[in-house]
Amino acid sequence: MAKEIRSLLKSEEEGWGRLKVLAKIGNTEWKTAIWFDSKNETYLLPLKAEIRKKEKIETEKQIDVVILL
C-alpha cells in the first residue's frame, strides 16, 4: 500500500516525506501526517500520548487505523 501511496502522492509530500492526512482510531479523529521511512520503504504514523490515552493504546495492542489522504 505504501508503494501505491508514494507513487500517486509523492508530489504532495512536504519536507522529509511528510504527507498530511486525517487519521481515525476508534472514536478519535485528528489531523496529522504520515512520514515516509526510506529505510523500510513504508509510511509511519506517530501517535501522540493524548491519542494513546484516549483510545487506551498500549504496547503490543493491535489497533485498527483509518487514514484519509
Side-chain angles (χ1 to χ4, degrees):
M1 189 180 301
K3 285 182 183 181
E4 183 178 0
I5 293 169
R6 184 96 166 153
S7 69
L8 295 172
L9 298 172
K10 185 174 181 180
S11 64
E12 301 293 320
E13 290 179 358
E14 297 177 354
W16 300 287
R18 179 178 182 265
L19 185 61
K20 292 180 182 179
V21 299
L22 183 65
K24 183 175 181 180
I25 298 175
N27 295 318
T28 306
E29 186 174 286
W30 71 104
K31 291 180 182 180
T32 187
I34 53 177
W35 301 80
F36 190 73
D37 176 3
S38 57
K39 181 178 178 182
N40 294 305
E41 296 186 1
T42 193
Y43 285 93
L44 304 175
L45 172 67
L47 294 177
K48 292 182 179 183
E50 174 187 351
I51 304 301
R52 294 191 310 266
K53 185 177 178 181
K54 251 184 182 175
E55 292 298 326
K56 299 178 176 75
I57 297 171
E58 300 172 358
T59 303
E60 303 297 324
K61 180 180 178 182
Q62 185 173 346
I63 58 173
D64 292 320
V65 179
V66 176
I67 302 288
L68 301 172
L69 305 168

